[in-house]
Amino acid sequence: MQNVTVVDHPLITHKLTHLRKIETSSREFRELVKELSSLMAWEVTKNFPLKDIDIETPICQTTQKVLAEKDVVIVPILRAGLGMVEGFTNIIPKAKIGHIGLYRDPETLQAVEYYKKLPSDIAEREAIIVDPMLATGVSVIHTIRLLKEANCKNIKVVHILACPEGIKAVTTAYPEIPIFCAAIDDHLNEHSYIVPGLGDAGDRLFGTK
Ligand code: URA
């Protein structure tokens, strides 16, 4: 599928199955989301550039590679996206964090923004938008637009679960934006929940059901 990477790994599949289970507690759910995010961060950062540096080992002088400075901003979509931040900052500790708060107007079904705080140098950073669920795509499309308006040129999107409807919406609006997810489920139901899914990711993360 165009620009969509399903991060396929037995550890990810195993953790995702436990995440889906109704009996998984909020504490376990938070831990699983963090671990899944770190595992996915490996794939998302796979193309980060390296540069040569000269070092000395106990044996000799040598030229080896380290990460070239790459400035990253992680952008969680509030509130469920918060659950993915620590998993990413464990892998990219120097990343800045920008926050976007959105809710869906029940009448118009459009995203309404209630909070936005992005680093002032966002135009120079690679942005990684995180939100566990790609359902209708309304929130992530809105967030991509905000980042583009802030002159962000390099944007990736990371979800734990996606569905065909959400993928179609985002890839139609922004075909150039890479999407990463751990699985693509069957469909969205009439309440815009992913099926089989895992329920409401925000409620499960924060125990607010
Ligand atoms: N958001 C969720 O938290 N769960 C879904 O299934 C869809 C959107």
Side-chain angles (χ1 to χ4, degrees), residues 43-101:
E43 180 69 24
V44 175
T45 55
K46 203 166 77 177
N47 297 327
F48 274 20
L50 294 167
K51 65 176 182 189
D52 287 341
I53 59 163
D54 297 326
I55 61 163
E56 189 179 351
T57 74
I59 309 300
C60 66
Q61 300 275 350
T62 175
T63 302
Q64 299 292 332
K65 293 191 185 299
V66 291
L67 282 171
E69 283 301 309
K70 183 159 183 84
D71 292 327
V72 173
V73 56
I74 313 292
V75 183
I77 302 178
L78 304 181
R79 72 188 155 135
L82 291 175
M84 297 179 71
V85 171
E86 196 182 338
F88 268 84
T89 52
N90 282 344
I91 305 298
I92 318 167
K94 286 189 185 164
K96 289 191 178 179
I97 322 281
H99 292 87
I100 300 290

